[in-house]
Each structure stands twice: as structure tokens, then as C-alpha cells.
Amino acid sequence: MIGAPVTGEWIDIGPVTQISPGNARTLPVQGGEEIAIFHTMDNQFYALVNKCPHKHGPLSQGIVHGTVVTCPLHSWNISLKTGEAQGDDKGCVPTIPVRVDAGRIYLLREALVTARAPEKAA
Amino acid sequence: MNAPNPDMAAQGLNGARERLVVIGNGMAGCRAVEEILARDATRYAITIFGAEPRVNYNRIMLSPVLAGEKAFEDIIINTQEWYDANGITLVSGDAVVSIDRATCTVTSASGRVEAYDRLLIATGSEPFIIPVPGKDLEGVVAFRDLDDVDKMLAAADKGGDAVVIGGGLLGLEAAHGLSLRGMKVTVIHLMPTLMERQLDEAAGFLLKSELERRGQTILTGADTAEIIGEGGKVAGVRLKDGREIAASIVVMAVGIRPSTALAKSAGLTVERGIVVDDHMVTSDPAILSVGECVQHRGTCYGLVAPLWDMCRSLAEGATGGEAPYSGSVTSTKLKVSGIDLFSAGDFSGGEGCEDIVMRDAARGIYKRVVVKDNRLIGAVLYGDTADGSWYFDLLKREEDISDIREALIFGQAFAQGGGALADPNAAVAALSDDAEICGCNGVTKGKVVDTILGGACSLDMVRSQCKASASCGSCTGLVESLLALTLGDEVKSGPKTMCKCTSFSHDDVRRQIVEKELKAIPAVMQALTWKTPDGCASCRPALNYYLLCAWPGEYVDDQKSRFVNERMHANIQKDGTYSVVPRMWGGVTTPNELRAIADAADKYEARLVKVTGGQRIDLFGIKKEDLPAIWADLNAAGMVSGHAYGKSLRTVKTCVGSEWCRFGTQDSTGLGIKTEQMTWGSWMPHKFKIAVSGCPRNCAEATIKDFGVICVDSGYELHVGGNGGIHLRGTDLLCKVETESQALDMCAAFIQLYREQAWYLERTAPWIERVGLDYVKAQLLDDPEAVSRLAARFRYSQQFMQDDPWARRAAGEDAELHQHLAEFRPFPKPRLLENAQ
Ligand code: SRM
Ligand SMILES: Cc1cc2nc3c(=O)[nH]c(=O)nc-3n(C[C@H](O)[C@H](O)[C@H](O)COP(=O)(O)OP(=O)(O)OC[C@H]3O[C@@H](n4cnc5c(N)ncnc54)[C@H](O)[C@@H]3O)c2cc1C
Ligand code: SF4
Ligand code: FES
């Protein structure tokens, strides 16, 4: 989500070791969207609403390569950094700012609560 | 605040010098003093307190001291004469224990009280000791100062086993030193790759392989549970998975924490480190701080280069000038002799970033630079770090690299060789005819060009005709340049490469995995000079399969390289739930199995129960969290995974056969069950289906299966290459055999041939169309031993494959794949967070 607020309250969601590189895990938000938190092979962390902009496939279950996840349903490639569909596909899923500090993962509360799933593509 | 105004004090009382007291006789404290003296040698009367009982030395050189490459005398920075000559009082071996800001004094452990006008805190950091049982045993040491090195050397004198906890920079240098000193070293590292903060997966893998080659044992993904003692001394380490490693010394090198206790108790603002401004002034204007103990603009540093910058700003500020510090970009090298490794900046890649990767397998080199908006933003080099400082310089200066982009990865000499040379084609054009292009096969440029002029118009033709780039492939780029130079637009693209990450075809990759004995994905990527750092969603699963097939029992499956269904052992549905299909051998079931399925359907609220086209039952709409539990229930009733989700053996359909059917010629049901029991669990290039029909009426539809059996009076007709899917293809008759066991052997042999030779995601039908039925027949039927050899290889590999993945998950393996990380309930109380684990 470009232009998202990056200041505010950061929620500690636990140690980095909970997600091994190349994998993702999920964080349901009551009253909001399920969030997918990714750990790339280069040890970066990213978070997206866990719904593909195409037909809401669970991105957390895709294959992670570089800073892209390939959706498990129809193989759209979604940028972990911007949430944007790559290549010819059009669509964008909200990102949630992530901070890693002293081995723990923090997500921005405001973004967690307000992020909404993208419209399904036609 | 009642601190004295430093500017007033600067006038000096009666012209006396100001009193500068420094806490910490380490690298930053002393460098700060040197910088101050260089600017104004007479301004301060200086007293330095050092907890260590010695003069100032170069801490980073403790690694070579441990390794025996240097002596302590070699690494002293300032001798006692230096302190004397500059009128500095060195109070060594006496730590400061308190700061009294009201009276502007510090007190040491021995009771010495010293008054200051300006105080400099340079206490560095403390090693972090993981709070496990046994951490206080004799023989558990950190790696921070000379005393630690002495303890390690004493242990090394006795020989034996050493464990180093932590596979970062410090831990690996400790491990290297101890192993040179003759100890048998095991490194225990929590994360899956070494030095994960500085290296990407590819470089981390090369590093690990090299250290293992040197005799160290590297355990990654290993979590320490306890340090085991015997009579108060270290005896070993126990991991959380139960493994035990013997050790007479344990080095903890898991990280450092800024040493801030003193500052904190004096009431200074401390967060992670002592908070300083751009002039290294703390929240008390009379107190400065520098080194690893500080936090500047939110960052704490653990390397010396930033400290030098800090010391310059500090000295300017302390002598009336101004040179604000604005933070540092850092780079890392590992001081292990014979291992060249360099990393700097951000190499996480992604949006707008371009990775440029160069691998030279023959020389063990991996280089990756990351470019964004025509600027270099990160670099990882392994094996050849000569250009590290050049890249680092480009990075720090944020230089526009668009002019040298093409040649950037080849290094400074090449890229700056001037206009024409910056174009790789031009550089290749400039090579002499004698220049060797392909090191593996000794092929010169002249030979390659002749081959091209002789009609080889594609990379593949060059490879097959003169062998250039046919082995390790690292000269592929050069051969492509020669093709382009010689033929211009007439270059033909070769057979389909596996994907955009490589110039090799599936066959080449498979062949080289075996020839070069490559046994891990990063090893393949390095040896075959992959163009991307970690592959893509298309090559990773293919490589995982090829390795699994080539090295049964040896290769460790890479879960993250598997498509979701194979990672979750269930089929993902459009709503993100899963379907569960237990195996039903040959389509035969029992009332008990049906009851268990019915119970599971109720218990886990399956939204649909359906009989599949493969003669078994599918439960739809199961949540990923419930999968291990439903599998446990199905396992309890004797059922295993049906692999309805896998590029693997799916089902064996049968008809009722001779036992019941009035036309049946053989026991097709029985043979189907035996076939399924032989083949289940096997991973294949694509899905694989089998059927056995009891007579040519073919009720099991065996002639549209990958392997189909039609029973006849005189034996069994074996059919291959059928497909009922997108492109309907009837089977070809492979052969006819007389006995069940011949039919089973032929089935095993055919499957193994397909497993070893087809491309990933190629089903038997397109495979046979590609290679020809005659080829398949020749492979299986010409040599009377072929079938038994292939079947033996298949059965060998099945020993490792026939291990129900559901049972392992139900027993708790990879539990995190099925659990949410946590659950966040923002309402009604804002900070309520429950961890799922
Ligand atoms: C469940 C089942 C349909 C049913 O309700 O009967 C089924 C369901 C799916 N089939 Fe199938 N196929 C099923 C029998 C078949 C059959 C009939 C058979 O096996 O006798 C065929 C044609 C025969 C064949 O394979 O040659 C069949 C040809 C396909 C194809 C086309 C394959 C091809 O080579 O052209 C696909 C697509 C693919 O695999 O890429 C496919 C893919 C799928 C997938 C896995 C789609 C997907 O990738 O998610 C469906 C999963 C649904 C789910 O969520 O569980 N399914 N599928 C059948 C499961 C059989 C089993 O017990 O394992
Ligand atoms: C084995 C090893 C290898 C390293 N290799 C590299 C490398 O290759 N490259 C790199 O850039 N960096 C390296 N480092 C890190 C580098 O050494 C540190 O960044 C640097 O020493 C930090 O300087 P400092 O002055 O802040 O802390 P230190 O050098 O640790 O100095 C702090 C001093 O303060 C003393 N002290 C603490 N509390 C008190 C007190 N209350 N009273 C009196 N004295 C006190 C301590 O005893 C210590 O002597 C390495 C470190 C180690 C241990
Ligand atoms: S035929 Fe198509 S819709 Fe039906 S199960 Fe197979 S893949 Fe799904
Ligand atoms: S839902 Fe993600 S690609 Fe279709």
C-alpha cells in the first residue's frame, strides 16, 4: 500500500525464527483481513493481505522467489514489496509495513486494522 | 540539569586543562582520544579507565591471534609509551562502576574517584549469552577479549571437541581458529543459512560447503536446548531435537548487546544503546559516548568502520569544530584464510531492482550485485572479492552506473576499461584467437569462431560440435557473445531452456546433476551458473524433483520449492480450504474405512463428500489447521495419503476381474492392489495413473492411463502413454508378459525410465510423443537386463518414498505450516495478542 502510514503503534508478533526463509505464515485479524507474513530467502520480511488480487487465492501458500510470491491458484506473480501484480496481470493487494528489531517481527497496527481485500479481478 | 556548561569549562580554571575522563580503553575510546589529540593536543588532561588489564589493542585481530597467525604484540595499537608521551593516565584492569553527574565524578571498582569536565563513555558491547541451562559451566566462553582467546587456546591445547554456538561472523572466525588449533569443531546455527544477515542463500551455501570440506561440522536450523556439564565443566551441547554433541569447550557467539548499564544507572537516555546526537553527545551535554555502545539515529553498529566516522565527529565537536555524523553504510568481510567473502548494502532485490548474477563454477565464484534506478544498492561476493571495495565505493557514492551497467558484474578493470570495453561483446571481440573460452574443454576463441562459421548457428550446436560451454557452462555468456559477433541476427535459439534462470535445457540439467554429483538446489544453481540468485517458481520445483530422483535417500527434500499442494499434502481449493483423499488400494474399501471416512467428514465438517474419477472418496472444504488432525484420524483407521495432490503416483483403477466377473481372465483387482502397493508414494515428473482391466472390455479404462494392464487368458498386455486429460491419447502397446511378477517388474522399470528421463511437468503421453515409442521400447526391451536394473533402482528409491507424509504431519512435523502465526484481536482492548504456539 504505497503512501501507507509508517509511524504509529507497532505490534510484536513474535520471533523471526517462527517463519523459515522461503516461507510464509498467517495472522488472522479479528474484524479485518487475514495477513500473510513472508520471510524471503534473503531474510527480509514482508506482509500482505492474504488475498490474491485475481480471485482471492491465499498468497501465503505460494512459492516465494526473490521478492515475489507466485499465487497457488493461478500463478499470478505478486510483488511482496508493493503488493502489485507483475507482468501483464493487473491488480494490487494492500501491504502492511513490517519492522524487524532484535529478532522480533513488528507490524504496524493501523495498517493491520484498516487493510481491506482488493476487489476480485473480473 | 546540573551538568557544567562545557563551553564555560572550556575556558579552563586558571588556564588549567579541562579534565576528560574516558570509560573504556577499547577501539573507539582510544581512537576518539587520538582524534582529539590530533586536533588540539593541549586542551584536555586525559584519564582512561579500562576494565581489561592491558593497553589498547586491535580487537578485530583477535581472530588471527586465535588462529595462530598473529601474536598479541602484533595487534597492540597504543603501547604504554604512547599514553606516557601524551600525558594520558591509563587506569587499566579497573572498571568504572558508577557515574555521579551531580558532582561530575566517576568511581572505579577499586574505589578510585576521578572528577571530569567532560566524560566519554566508550564501553563497547557485551556478548549475548543465551539463557539455557548450563550457560555458567566452566568451559563456556564468549569471544570478545584477549582473556576469552586465552581460554580457548588453553582448551585447544588439550585437543578434543569444540562447539561454537552461532554461525555469524564471530562464530565462524572462532570455529576457524579452533579448528586450525587442532580441535574438532561443530558450529550450531539457529537459522537455515550461515551469516544470514550478510549473505544470500547462494553464498551461504558455498560458505557452508567450503567449511564442511575443511572438516567442520555445520548444523544449521539447530536450536540449543542445554549445555551439558560433568563435574561443573562443559561436556557437550544438547539440541532441542534431542541430538547431543560432545565438547570440552563451548563458544557462544550469538550476538552482542551494547554495554549500557553504567549509562543507564547514571540516568542518561538509553534505548537499545546510549542515545547520542550527531556530535556523539548524550542526553547530558557534558557526557559524550562513542562506539558500539551508542545508538545513533536509531542504529547500533557492530563493526569498526562506523566508529572511525563517529570518532572524527566527536573530536571535531570536542575541540570547538563541527562535523556532524550522519550514519554509515557498512560492509562485511570474513577473516577466515582462504575464504573470500564480501557483502554490503541491501541485496533483498525486488520491485525496480535488477539482480546481476555471475557464477564461475570452475573457480567457485558467486557474484551478485543489485541495481536500482541506475545505482548500485547491494553486493554479495563469494570466492573473488577483489572488486568488493570498488562496489562498496560505487554504493556509498550512489554513483550513476548506467554507462558501465553491462560490464558491472565483471569488475572494475573490465567495466572501466573504457567506452568500447564496457560492452561485453566488444570485450570478447578484442580477445585474441588463442584466448581460451572454455576452460573445462580447452576450447579457444578461434576454434569456437571456426565452429560457428562452419555452420553451428546456435548455442546448442556449438556445444555439441566443439564442446565449448558443454560442461560447467560458465562460459555460456562468452559463447553467446561470439555467436552474436559472428552471425549477428542469424543466431538460432537453442532447444527450450528450463526457464529464464538458466541457459541449460532440462536434459542438460538432469545429466549434469548426475555427472557432477550435485546434491542441493544451491549447488546446481552454482555449478550451472544460474542467472538468478534463487531461481523462480518454475525451476525450483523442477530441480527439487530432479535431485530427489537422482539421489534417493540422500537428497533432503526442499519443502519451500514445492507447489502448495505437495507442501500441504492436500489439494488447495478456490476458497483456500483443502480436499482430502485417502488411498483406497485398487479402489477396494471396507465398512471400517468407510465408517472412519464418514466420521472424519462429520468431525471436520467436510462440505462435500464425493466419489472421485479415480475410485476413491474426496472430502472437500477442510481447513488447513485441521489437516493434521483429520489425517491422524484416517491413519488410525489404517489409511494413508492418496497423493491426489502430487506429481506422483495417483490411483490404480481396477475392475472386479476373474474373482467375480463372468468375463474376467485374471485377478485384475489383486494385481491392481499389488501395483499400487509397489508404486505409491513415488514422486514423478508429473502425475501418473495406472489401471488394470480384467479383460479387453476394459472397464477400468486402462488404455487412457500412463500405465495400463489388459488381462487376457494367456497373460497381460502392458500399455503405456495414455492420457484422458486435455489431449486425449490412447495408449501404445509396450509388450505382453505371462506372469504377474513380470507385469510388476515392467511397470516398475517403465516408471523408473520415465522418472529418470522425462522433463518436469511432462506426462508420459507427451514424453513418448517426444522421444518416440521405439526409443522407449528399445530402452526397456533390447537389453535383457534393462528391466531388472531399472526396476531395482525404482524399488531402491521406493524404500525412502513409501513413508506416509500424513503420518509425519499428524505426529507434529512441520506443524507451523498448518498453524496461524498468531491471532490479532484489535478490539476491544488494543494490545491483546495471542500467540498460537
Ligand atoms: C477429484 C477429481 C475429480 C472427481 O471428482 O472425480 C479430480 C480433480 C482434479 N483434477 Fe483431475 N480429478 C480426478 C480425476 C481425473 C481423471 C480421471 C482419472 O484419473 O481416471 C482425469 C483424466 C485422466 C488423466 O489424467 O489422464 C483427470 C484429468 C485432470 C487433468 C488433465 C491432465 C492431462 O494430462 O491433461 C488435470 C490438470 C493437471 O493435472 O494439470 C486435472 C487436475 C485436477 C485438479 C487437481 C485441479 C487442480 O490442479 O487443482 C482437481 C482437484 C480438485 C480438488 O480440489 O480436489 N485432472 N482428472 C478426480 C480425482 C481422482 C483421484 O481419486 O485422485
Ligand atoms: C573477535 C572479533 C573479531 C572482530 N572482527 C571484526 C572485523 O573483522 N571487522 C570489524 O569491523 N569489526 C570486527 N569486530 C568488531 C569490533 O572489534 C568492534 O566493533 C569494536 O571493537 C568496537 O569498539 P568499541 O570501542 O566500541 O568497543 P571495545 O573495543 O569492546 O572497547 C570497549 C572497552 O571498554 C571496556 N569497558 C567496558 N565497560 C567498562 C567499564 N565500566 N569501565 C572500564 N572499561 C570498560 C571493555 O573492557 C573494552 O575493553 C570484531 C570483534 C571481535 C570480538
Ligand atoms: S474437470 Fe476441471 S473442474 Fe472438474 S475437477 Fe477436473 S480440473 Fe476441476
Ligand atoms: S487467485 Fe491468485 S492467481 Fe488466481
Side-chain angles (χ1 to χ4, degrees):
Chain A
M1 188 157 49
I2 296 163
V6 285
T7 54
E9 190 188 349
W10 294 87
I11 306 290
D12 181 346
I13 56 159
V16 292
T17 48
Q18 293 178 111
I19 314 175
S20 55
N23 282 305
R25 294 190 62 188
T26 44
L27 175 80
V29 176
Q30 198 186 54
E33 293 292 343
E34 183 167 292
I35 308 300
I37 303 138
F38 295 86
H39 185 175
T40 66
M41 232 79 89
D42 285 337
N43 289 292
Q44 307 295 312
F45 289 82
Y46 299 97
L48 307 177
V49 166
N50 193 19
K51 281 186 179 157
C52 177
H54 178 218
K55 296 197 183 303
H56 286 186
L59 295 172
S60 60
Q61 306 292 65
I63 291 182
V64 179
H65 46 106
T67 41
V68 170
V69 58
T70 302
C71 177
L73 293 195
H74 319 97
S75 302
W76 278 26
N77 285 316
I78 309 298
S79 160
L80 298 176
K81 289 193 164 175
T82 61
E84 212 104 29
Q86 308 289 287
D88 293 338
D89 299 318
K90 294 280 165 286
C92 186
V93 56
T95 60
I96 287 72
V98 185
R99 214 182 69 189
V100 171
D101 194 5
R104 300 191 69 87
I105 308 168
Y106 297 84
L107 299 186
L108 195 63
R109 177 174 199 280
E110 168 76 4
L112 271 184
V113 176
T114 54
R116 287 295 167 260
E119 293 281 318
K120 282 190 199 179
Chain B
M1 224 162 274
N2 49 8
N5 178 335
D7 290 330
M8 298 248 304
Q11 310 306 317
L13 304 164
N14 313 323
R17 294 182 180 194
E18 284 174 72
R19 292 158 304 176
L20 171 66
V21 172
V22 181
I23 308 176
N25 185 34
M27 300 197 70
C30 283
R31 172 60 81 100
V33 168
E34 286 176 23
E35 293 278 357
I36 291 174
L37 291 175
R39 285 169 177 77
D40 188 343
T42 58
R43 178 160 178 160
Y44 293 103
I46 303 172
T47 304
I48 304 179
F49 283 89
E52 293 184 63
R54 53 186 73 90
V55 292
N56 167 238
Y57 60 93
N58 188 349
R59 190 171 308 287
I60 75 175
M61 299 312 266
L62 285 176
S63 300
V65 170
L66 177 66
E69 290 155 1
K70 287 221 165 15
F72 179 65
E73 295 70 51
D74 304 331
I75 71 166
I76 292 173
I77 301 178
N78 293 306
T79 57
Q80 187 60 48
E81 288 76 55
W82 175 81
Y83 294 89
D84 296 343
N86 288 290
I88 299 166
T89 310
L90 171 63
V91 188
S92 62
D94 195 7
V96 170
V97 292
S98 66
I99 302 169
D100 186 338
R101 287 163 55 203
T103 59
C104 292
T105 55
V106 301
T107 308
S108 76
S110 71
R112 180 170 177 148
V113 177
E114 200 72 38
Y116 65 82
D117 297 307
R118 285 228 130 170
L119 180 65
L120 170 58
I121 305 178
T123 46
S125 21
E126 284 144 24
F128 181 67
I129 303 293
I130 45 174
V132 289
K135 68 178 169 47
D136 299 319
L137 287 167
E138 188 186 329
V140 179
V141 299
F143 189 17
R144 183 71 194 174
D145 61 25
L146 187 67
D147 296 335
D148 297 327
V149 172
D150 287 338
K151 283 183 209 155
M152 286 191 243
L153 291 179
D157 277 344
K158 298 195 202 90
D161 302 301
V163 163
V164 175
I165 305 180
L169 203 78
L170 268 191
L172 295 181
E173 291 185 7
H176 173 63
L178 289 169
S179 118
L180 283 188
R181 296 282 183 172
M183 298 196 84
K184 200 176 151 302
V185 182
T186 302
V187 177
I188 296 177
H189 190 55
L190 186 61
M191 302 302 278
T193 52
L194 293 176
M195 290 183 64
E196 74 284 349
R197 279 166 49 213
Q198 291 90 14
L199 300 183
D200 60 10
E201 192 198 24
F205 176 82
L206 292 175
L207 174 61
K208 179 166 180 261
S209 313
E210 172 61 20
L211 294 175
E212 285 171 341
R213 205 188 54 73
R214 294 175 174 209
Q216 297 182 23
T217 306
I218 313 283
L219 305 178
T220 48
D223 202 354
T224 306
E226 179 185 359
I227 299 174
I228 315 162
E230 234 174 60
K233 284 194 182 151
V234 162
V237 172
R238 179 162 28 248
L239 301 180
K240 288 209 171 128
D241 63 15
R243 274 181 290 179
E244 285 187 12
I245 303 121
S248 56
I249 184 164
V250 171
V251 182
M252 282 241 194
V254 295
I256 52 170
R257 295 279 175 280
S259 176
T260 58
L262 200 57
K264 202 181 256 172
S265 62
L268 298 177
T269 304
V270 171
E271 288 173 10
R272 217 139 45 90
I274 303 167
V275 176
V276 293
D277 67 12
D278 290 354
H279 299 90
M280 315 315 293
V281 180
T282 67
S283 57
D284 178 340
I287 304 183
L288 305 162
S289 187
V290 72
E292 282 184 346
C293 56
V294 306
Q295 174 181 327
H296 172 260
R297 298 193 188 174
T299 305
C300 298
Y301 294 93
L303 293 167
V304 291
L307 315 186
W308 301 159
D309 297 339
M310 290 180 191
C311 286
R312 275 191 290 277
S313 299
L314 177 142
E316 274 305 316
T319 55
E322 189 169 351
Y325 172 65
S326 56
S328 308
V329 192
T330 57
S331 69
T332 309
K333 282 185 178 158
L334 181 69
K335 301 195 296 302
V336 169
S337 38
I339 296 185
D340 294 320
L341 179 166
F342 173 90
S343 122
D346 171 11
F347 45 88
S348 66
E351 205 60 18
C353 292
E354 193 198 340
D355 278 316
I356 308 176
V357 175
M358 193 194 93
R359 305 185 194 235
D360 182 337
R363 292 192 298 143
I365 291 169
Y366 170 75
K367 294 186 185 184
R368 171 176 172 208
V369 299
V370 186
V371 174
K372 185 175 185 178
D373 302 331
N374 291 324
R375 308 266 184 279
L376 187 74
I377 62 161
V380 186
L381 310 177
Y382 184 94
D384 174 4
T385 51
D387 286 305
S389 48
W390 180 61
Y391 289 131
F392 191 46
D393 198 48
L394 289 177
L395 192 152
K396 280 194 297 192
R397 287 190 290 119
E398 300 184 3
E399 199 159 305
D400 188 321
I401 51 91
S402 21
D403 289 346
I404 52 171
R405 186 194 191 92
E406 294 296 303
L408 187 63
I409 194 72
F410 300 108
Q412 181 174 19
F414 197 66
Q416 294 188 337
L421 279 185
D423 168 7
N425 278 351
V428 175
L431 292 174
S432 74
D433 274 358
D434 299 336
E436 189 173 75
I437 298 290
C438 170
C440 300
N441 298 303
V443 188
T444 60
K445 175 183 163 189
K447 179 91 191 290
V448 176
V449 172
D450 286 348
T451 309
I452 297 170
L453 292 174
C457 56
S458 71
L459 179 62
D460 218 52
M461 288 172 82
V462 173
R463 279 183 182 157
S464 66
Q465 291 178 24
C466 73
K467 290 281 169 284
S469 122
S471 294
C472 81
S474 58
C475 60
T476 304
L478 293 175
V479 175
E480 281 168 345
S481 288
L482 287 175
L483 276 162
L485 284 167
T486 319
L487 299 177
D489 292 342
E490 288 159 45
V491 181
K492 298 243 166 40
S493 49
K496 246 182 74 184
T497 61
M498 236 175 104
C499 65
K500 62 173 180 13
C501 303
T502 175
S503 57
F504 285 110
S505 66
H506 285 267
D507 286 332
D508 286 337
V509 171
R510 295 205 76 165
R511 180 177 46 78
Q512 300 206 42
I513 283 175
V514 177
E515 275 174 18
K516 297 202 161 74
E517 302 197 15
L518 306 172
K519 298 189 177 175
I521 290 178
V524 178
M525 291 182 175
Q526 177 65 18
L528 306 189
T529 58
W530 237 242
K531 295 174 195 157
T532 49
D534 57 9
C536 68
S538 145
C539 60
R540 287 195 77 100
L543 291 180
N544 189 53
Y545 168 71
Y546 292 157
L547 288 162
L548 196 72
C549 177
W551 311 113
E554 223 178 313
Y555 175 65
V556 184
D557 206 314
D558 186 34
Q559 292 286 307
K560 62 182 180 299
S561 298
R562 282 193 178 266
F563 179 65
V564 54
N565 287 357
E566 295 185 352
R567 203 177 332 119
M568 299 304 283
H569 294 288
N571 276 83
I572 195 164
Q573 309 292 306
K574 58 193 285 191
D575 65 354
T577 62
Y578 290 84
S579 70
V580 170
V581 188
R583 205 163 276 290
M584 210 168 253
W585 308 97
V588 175
T589 184
T590 63
N592 269 339
E593 284 186 353
L594 291 172
R595 255 188 294 273
I597 290 174
D599 288 344
D602 276 342
K603 184 164 162 194
Y604 302 99
E605 296 168 355
R607 299 208 301 274
L608 173 75
V609 181
K610 182 182 180 301
V611 174
T612 73
Q615 293 188 338
R616 45 209 192 154
I617 293 175
D618 201 343
L619 305 174
F620 286 90
I622 310 295
K623 293 192 272 301
K624 82 171 175 195
E625 302 87 285
D626 285 341
L627 290 173
I630 190 171
W631 294 336
D633 288 3
L634 294 168
N635 279 164
M639 284 174 278
V640 298
S641 165
H643 292 83
Y645 47 81
K647 308 295 173 229
S648 58
L649 187 273
R650 293 282 175 92
T651 63
V652 179
K653 276 173 85 161
T654 66
C655 70
V656 288
S658 58
E659 198 79 346
W660 299 88
C661 177
R662 63 197 164 110
F663 297 116
T665 60
Q666 311 280 357
D667 177 13
S668 53
T669 319
L671 177 57
I673 294 173
K674 282 182 201 147
T675 312
E676 190 161 358
Q677 281 170 345
M678 174 179 80
T679 53
W680 79 279
S682 173
W683 295 108
M684 313 256 196
H686 205 308
K687 60 186 175 189
F688 195 98
K689 299 175 177 183
I690 300 178
V692 185
S693 286
C695 81
R697 286 167 193 77
N698 194 11
C699 297
E701 299 161 323
T703 46
I704 51 160
K705 296 293 176 266
D706 296 278
F707 187 84
V709 182
I710 308 275
C711 302
V712 290
D713 274 329
S714 54
Y716 306 83
E717 284 175 358
L718 306 182
H719 296 256
V720 295
N723 196 326
I726 304 164
H727 301 290
L728 182 68
R729 182 180 196 273
T731 46
D732 295 307
L733 178 65
L734 176 67
C735 61
K736 202 182 138 190
V737 296
E738 283 166 16
T739 66
E740 262 196 0
S741 75
Q742 287 171 325
L744 286 167
D745 280 352
M746 190 58 83
C747 174
F750 174 75
I751 290 181
Q752 189 64 11
L753 188 69
Y754 169 62
R755 294 182 77 230
E756 288 176 5
Q757 299 196 359
W759 299 341
Y760 191 66
L761 295 188
E762 185 178 43
R763 272 190 82 175
T764 55
W767 172 58
I768 288 180
E769 299 271 317
R770 177 168 66 83
V771 300
L773 178 67
D774 290 342
Y775 170 82
V776 173
K777 277 187 165 167
Q779 291 287 304
L780 290 167
L781 307 173
D782 283 3
D783 172 357
E785 298 299 313
V787 168
S788 61
R789 273 200 309 266
L790 282 161
R793 286 212 288 281
F794 178 68
R795 291 199 167 97
Y796 175 76
S797 129
Q798 283 297 82
Q799 283 176 28
F800 309 100
M801 302 290 112
Q802 294 197 326
D803 174 16
D804 180 24
W806 285 2
R808 280 183 277 135
R809 290 287 168 89
E813 190 182 281
D814 296 327
E816 74 283 353
L817 291 180
H818 301 278
Q819 288 165 353
H820 292 303
L821 188 59
E823 196 175 350
F824 182 52
R825 304 199 193 127
F827 316 107
K829 272 201 276 168
R831 257 189 164 276
L832 195 70
L833 181 78
E834 281 175 17
N835 214 307
Q837 277 175 305

